Each structure stands twice: as structure tokens, then as C-alpha cells.
Amino acid sequence: MAANTHDRRSLWRWRRNPLRRREDLVEAWILLAAWTAVAVGGPLAGVMSAQATSDTLARQRAERHPATATLVTDAERGGGRFNTSGDRVLATVRWTDPGGTRHSDRTLVDSGLKAGDRIVVWTDDHNRVTIQPTTPAQATTQAAATGVTAALAVSGAAAGTYYAIHAALDRRRGRAWDAEWEKFGPQWGRTAP
């Protein structure tokens, strides 16, 4: 019995009622849209974002290749213009691609390495040095995190929009009540100071 009463009360904005205002009906439709966005849009955005992230990271793994490079100069801390914090410094390396063409580029390497030391660098399809691609496990974690973030963002935006509109409608309803009270209040007797 209590559940049936609750159901009727929660749907009062949809029924014909002399006390229902236009703002109540507008709020009911906006609430329905917000719940739809949370229930459908949030998960959909999450799945699509996770899939896009997963596809991008898989494409990077396919396009990036390891190459064995030789350090051209010593990798000493403070030895170059571009130093980084930590134990890595920017240094010039040279490598040969599978087609036999020699390439040279600058990349971050561990400090303390000497000229002639061999290191592994990652290159793209245009033989430019790039960062190492994510592992499949890292890609799965990153895709899941991106999906959850997107779902929460869509749901949060829907809820925030609803509450902002709800507050505006409450202010409008309050002004309407004040105006009606000013009009009909004196008919009921003494007015408040």
C-alpha cells in the first residue's frame, strides 16, 4: 500500500491537477531527460570513450617499433642545454632502420651513459624517435579509466544541469507565490507587516 502511494505521489507532475503549474511540468520533463542522460548517455559515453582510447593505444603499439641506437655523446648531467629533473638527460642517438638508412635524433636517456653505449629507442613509421607505447595491460587500465571518467562527466553534467534548472524554476515559483499572495492575501484578512 505504501509503495503504491509513493508511486502516485512521485508522478503527480504528470497528472492533471489544478495546483500543477507549467514550471512543474517543465521540471518533470527535464528530470526525465536528466535521468535518461544518466542511465543511457553516461554508460554510452563511457563505452565509446573506452573503445576509442583502446583503439588509439593499439594503433600506437602497431606503429611504434624498438630500434637499437648508439649514443653519440656522453649523457652527463648539466652537459647540455636541455636537462630534465631526475636521472634522464637529453642526448643525441644514431640508429639504422631495417631498410639500412641511418638516422639521428635527440631523446631522453639515462644520465651517466658514455658515447658508444647502446640503448633501445622507440621509433614511429616515419623513423622519428617517440615514446614507448603502452603495454596491453596499461592500455586496458587507461581505457577503463577514460571510460569511467567520461561516464561520470556526462552523468555529472546532466545532474548539474537539472539542479541548476530546478533552482531557477524554484525561484520563479517563489516569485509567482509572492505575487499571488500579494493579490489574494488581503482578501483573507489582516496582511503581514
Side-chain angles (χ1 to χ4, degrees):
M1 171 100 178
N4 190 18
T5 304
H6 175 70
D7 290 343
R8 275 188 269 143
R9 259 187 303 167
S10 64
L11 297 175
W12 73 270
R13 290 182 176 111
W14 297 98
R15 297 182 312 190
R16 293 205 180 273
N17 183 333
L19 298 177
R20 183 187 75 191
R21 297 174 185 268
R22 186 174 36 144
E23 290 86 358
D24 298 330
L25 191 58
V26 168
E27 183 178 0
W29 281 106
I30 291 171
L31 180 61
L32 179 64
W35 274 112
T36 302
V38 168
V40 177
L44 185 63
V47 168
M48 289 175 58
S49 296
Q51 187 61 48
T53 301
S54 181
D55 292 347
T56 299
L57 295 175
R59 189 172 50 253
Q60 286 179 355
R61 278 193 306 278
E63 293 172 350
R64 295 179 182 179
H65 313 285
T68 302
T70 303
L71 198 59
V72 175
T73 58
D74 292 345
E76 297 175 353
R77 184 179 301 276
R81 288 186 339 197
F82 303 103
N83 288 325
T84 62
S85 60
D87 295 331
R88 298 183 60 82
V89 296
L90 198 58
T92 303
V93 294
R94 190 171 290 140
W95 73 97
T96 304
D97 67 20
T101 306
R102 295 184 57 112
H103 300 277
S104 178
D105 204 348
R106 292 178 63 82
T107 188
L108 288 174
V109 298
D110 294 333
S111 64
L113 293 175
K114 301 293 179 193
D117 286 349
R118 294 185 164 277
I119 60 168
V120 174
V121 295
W122 287 86
T123 60
D124 60 15
D125 288 338
H126 303 289
N127 288 308
R128 293 180 300 231
V129 173
T130 187
I131 60 171
Q132 180 177 354
T134 58
T135 65
Q138 291 169 332
T140 300
T141 302
Q142 190 172 345
T146 302
V148 168
T149 302
L152 290 175
V154 168
S155 299
T161 300
Y162 167 73
Y163 283 113
I165 293 171
H166 172 74
L169 290 173
D170 273 351
R171 286 191 298 273
R172 184 175 172 142
R173 281 187 283 251
R175 287 191 301 271
W177 273 103
D178 288 344
E180 289 177 15
W181 185 252
E182 288 292 324
K183 182 178 177 182
F184 295 110
Q187 296 175 7
W188 290 5
R190 220 174 90 209
T191 58

